[in-house]
Amino acid sequence: MNKNLWALPLLAALATACNSTSTNTAGADGKPDLLYAALDTTVAPGDDFFSYANGTWIKNHPIPASESNSGIGIEVQKEVYGRLRQTSIDAAKANAAAGSNQQKIGDFWAVGIDSLKADKLGIAPIKPELDRIAAMKTAADVPGVIAHEIPLGVRALIGPRVGQDDKNSDKMALYLHQSGLGLPNRDYYFNTDTRTKNIRRSYVRHVANTFKLLGQDSTTANANAARVMALETALARSSRKLEALRDPYKNYNKMTLAQLDKLTPGLDWKTWFAQMGATNVDSVIVGQPEFYQMVGQLLKTKPVDDWKAYLTWQVTREFAPTLSQPFVDESFRFYGTTLRGAKAMRPRWKRVLDMEEDALGDALGQLFVKEYFKPEAKARYDTLVKNVVSSFAQHIQNVDWMSAPTKVVALDKLHKITPKVGYPNKWKDYSNLTIDRSSLTANVMRANQWQYNYQLNKLGKPVDRTEWGMTPQTYNAYYNPSNNEIVLPAAAFAVPTLLDADADDALVYGYAGASTIGHELTHGFDDEGSQFDAKGNLHEWWSKEDRKRFNERVAVIVKQFNGYTLLDSLHINGKATAGENIADLGGIVIGLDAFKKTKQYKEGKKINGLTPVQRYFLGYALGWQMHVRDESLASQLLTDVHSPAQYRVNGPMADVPAFYEAFGVKPGQKLYIPDSARVKIW
C-alpha cells in the first residue's frame, strides 16, 4: 500500500539543497517558491488541476533518455545517487576491517563498477546453476532444483514468503503465492490489443536471444523460447487478475501439508519445503489454490526439456543485469525499452547502487540518517503525524454513514496505529553476509540468500513489530495492516531544491500530511485495510449495515476511475486501484482539516498571490509531479494498484468541495462533478 513507486531518493530536508534546472520564484520573504514556479497558468485549475499545478515544471524537465519517467522522485534521486556514490567510493578505498559494513559496501561497489571484469567472466558466475539445471534427468528432479534456485532470488514457478498470519498477527506463517512469470502479470499473456500482442512477440524474441547468448544455435534457442512461453502461459492462465489479488479473504487459504499434498497430487511438500530450508512447517497459507493445482499438473505432464528451458531462462533473466555487457544490453532492450520505454541505459554506477541498496540497504541507511535527517526534521514530522491523526479522529466521529458502535471500534483502531517516522531504532545485522570482489553476480546471489534466510528464520519465533520494511533513504511509505502501523521513511518527506526550513506549512501539509501521512492512515480503513482489526487480524469489525453503506461509496469511486481513458483506449482499473484512490481522497480531506489548525491558515496571507488553501492543494499535487512514457504508462495500467499520477490529483480533487471553493470551479469545467454525485467517504 505504498505512496508511489518512484523509490530511492534522499531527504534534502536540512541538508544542502540539490541543484535543479528550474527557477524557484521567491515570495516576499525571499524564500524559494516551488509551487508558484511550477504553475502553468494557461490551464484552468477546474479543467486539469494536475497540469495547472505542475505544467511548467514538466515542460522544463523532459524525460531523460535513460528513464521511463521524469518526476519529483527522479529529482530527489539525483542527490541520493550522488551521496551514495561518494559513500561507496570512499568505502572501496578505505581498506576497512574485514566483515565490517564499510568493507561490504566498498567491495560490492568495486566489483560492481568493474565492467571489464564482468565481461571477462561472461556466464561463469551462473554456470554452476545452469549446469545444475542441465543435469536434470526427469521432471522428478525439477522441485529439487527449484528449491536451490529460489533462495538465490530466482522467481521460478512457486512464490514462497514468510509473513504475519493475516488471521493471527502474533504468529509468522509461510505463504505460497502465484509466481513464475517472465512478463509483468497474467494479462500480458492474453490481452488482444495490438500493444500487448507486440510485447508478447518481442518477449519470445528476447527469450530466444538470451538463449543464443548462452551459446545455443538459432533453432534450439527458438524452440526453447517457445517452450518457455507455453509453460508460462499455462501458469498465467491459472493466475488471478490484479483486482482479484486484493481480496484478503479469498487469498487466504490455510492448509495443513496433507491438504496441500491433496491439492497437488504427486507433490511431497514436506520434502520440498525442507529442501528450501523450511523445516518443521506444519501448515501453509495458499493465496491462489488454483495456481498450485496447475503447478502440480505441469510438474506431472511437462517433459524435462521444457523445465530445463524454463529454469535456464529464469536463472539467466534474474542475473542478466549483473553479467557481461551482451546480457545487460539484451535485458535492457526488452525490460527497459519495450516495457518501460527508456531510450538509453542508465549509467552502470546507478544500476550498481540500486543493487547495493537491495543488498545492504540498512548499512547505507545508518550512514544516511546520521548526516541527513536531523532531530529538528524528525520533530516536525512527528508533530505532523499527531496532527493528522487528530484530524482523522474528528472525521470518523463526524461521518454520517458509520454507526456509533462501529465508530468506537474505528477510533480504537486509529489510536492504536503505530507511526514509524524517519528511521528504525535497530538495524539489520549483516555480519554473516559475505561480500567480496569475486563477481557482482556472486554478491547479489549471496545477498538474496541472506535475505531469504533472514525471513525464513522468523518462522516459529515471536513477531518483531519494530522491524521496518523500507530503508530510511527510500522515497515511499506504507501501511502494514498486520502490524496496524504506518511507516514513513525519512526520504518520504524530501522536497528537491528546497530546505525543510524554507517549506511553508501549506506545502508540507499537502505534500507530506495529505499525500503521505493521511494517505497511509486511510489505508487502515479502505476497502482492504478495513477488513483488519486493531490487532492486525483479518476480522470483520464493522456491522453489516456499515459495510453496505461503505461499499456503496466505494462503488462510486470505482465507477469514477473506470471512466478515465488514457492512451486513446486504455482505462484505469477502478476496482484494482480502489484502495489507493480511497486513500488519496481521504488523505486530502483529512490533511486539509489538520492544516486549518496552523498559524499560516489562520492568518490567511497570500504567497505569490496564492491563498494558504490553494497552496495546500498545490502541495498535494507536488507529490505527483511527474510525467511518464507511454510504454511505462500502459504497463502501469495493467500491473499497478496505483492510478497514474495525473489522476491521483484530478480524480480525488473532483470530489473535494474545498477544492471547488479555492479555485472557483464551475459547472462546465472538465473536473466539475455535481455535489450529489461526488464521492464522500471521510
Side-chain angles (χ1 to χ4, degrees), residues 442-453:
N443 283 338
V444 170
M445 283 185 177
R446 285 192 291 258
N448 290 343
Q449 178 81 64
W450 182 92
Q451 181 63 31
Y452 178 86
N453 290 338

Side-chain angles (χ1 to χ4, degrees), residues 159-166 173-177 251-252 284-285:
R161 75 169 180 88
V162 175
Q164 286 165 270
D165 188 324
D166 281 348
L174 182 63
Y175 283 80
L176 285 176
H177 291 287
N251 290 280
Y252 182 98
V284 62
I285 299 170

Side-chain angles (χ1 to χ4, degrees), residues 248-385:
Y249 282 99
K250 290 183 179 178
N251 290 280
Y252 182 98
N253 303 278
K254 196 165 190 176
M255 301 180 183
T256 64
L257 293 192
Q259 290 171 321
L260 183 56
D261 286 345
K262 186 177 180 180
L263 179 73
T264 57
L267 287 181
D268 177 1
W269 283 93
K270 183 176 183 179
T271 299
W272 203 359
F273 285 143
Q275 290 173 324
M276 286 184 271
T279 56
N280 300 321
V281 174
D282 56 6
S283 64
V284 62
I285 299 170
V286 181
Q288 302 78 34
E290 67 277 17
F291 177 83
Y292 281 91
Q293 285 180 317
M294 177 58 71
V295 166
Q297 292 173 20
L298 292 174
L299 285 170
K300 287 192 298 183
T301 58
K302 289 287 185 179
V304 69
D305 285 345
D306 286 14
W307 291 109
K308 287 181 179 180
Y310 171 75
L311 292 175
T312 297
W313 159 240
Q314 291 294 346
V315 167
T316 309
R317 177 177 77 91
E318 182 65 33
F319 298 109
T322 72
L323 297 175
S324 58
Q325 197 61 41
F327 286 93
V328 174
D329 289 341
E330 179 58 36
S331 179
F332 171 76
R333 184 195 66 77
F334 180 74
Y335 287 106
T337 299
T338 302
L339 280 184
R340 296 173 54 244
K343 308 303 182 186
M345 196 179 304
R346 300 165 75 224
R348 184 177 183 90
W349 65 269
K350 287 186 177 181
R351 289 179 275 125
V352 171
L353 282 178
D354 286 347
M355 298 179 201
E356 191 176 307
E357 167 74 12
D358 288 341
L360 296 161
D362 267 29
L364 293 169
Q366 292 178 65
L367 301 175
F368 161 71
V369 298
K370 183 178 180 181
E371 187 170 356
Y372 303 119
F373 195 56
K374 304 300 184 183
E376 307 96 289
K378 190 175 189 314
R380 181 178 194 177
Y381 294 105
D382 280 335
T383 299
L384 182 56
V385 170

Side-chain angles (χ1 to χ4, degrees), residues 82-103:
R83 296 187 188 280
L84 293 185
R85 183 186 196 185
Q86 192 58 52
T87 296
S88 299
I89 290 172
D90 292 344
K93 296 177 180 177
N95 193 27
S100 66
N101 282 347
Q102 189 177 34
Q103 172 263 311

Side-chain angles (χ1 to χ4, degrees), residues 33-41 45 48-55 72 504 506-512 514-515 588 607-625 649 653 659 662-663:
D33 189 357
L34 296 183
L35 301 182
Y36 182 77
L39 292 181
D40 182 353
T41 55
D48 182 354
F49 185 63
F50 173 84
S51 296
Y52 167 76
N54 297 314
I72 191 167
D504 60 302
L507 184 156
V508 169
Y509 272 77
Y511 180 72
S515 74
I588 291 169
I607 300 176
N608 276 327
L610 297 168
T611 69
V613 174
Q614 288 175 329
R615 292 182 63 79
Y616 169 82
F617 287 122
L618 291 169
Y620 174 84
L622 175 66
W624 310 114
Q625 188 181 73
V649 176
M653 288 300 170
F659 167 71
F663 291 97

Side-chain angles (χ1 to χ4, degrees), residues 24-27 29-35 497-499 502 504 615:
N24 301 330
T25 304
D29 59 1
K31 293 181 179 180
D33 189 357
L34 296 183
L35 301 182
T497 77
L498 189 67
L499 299 179
D502 290 338
D504 60 302
R615 292 182 63 79

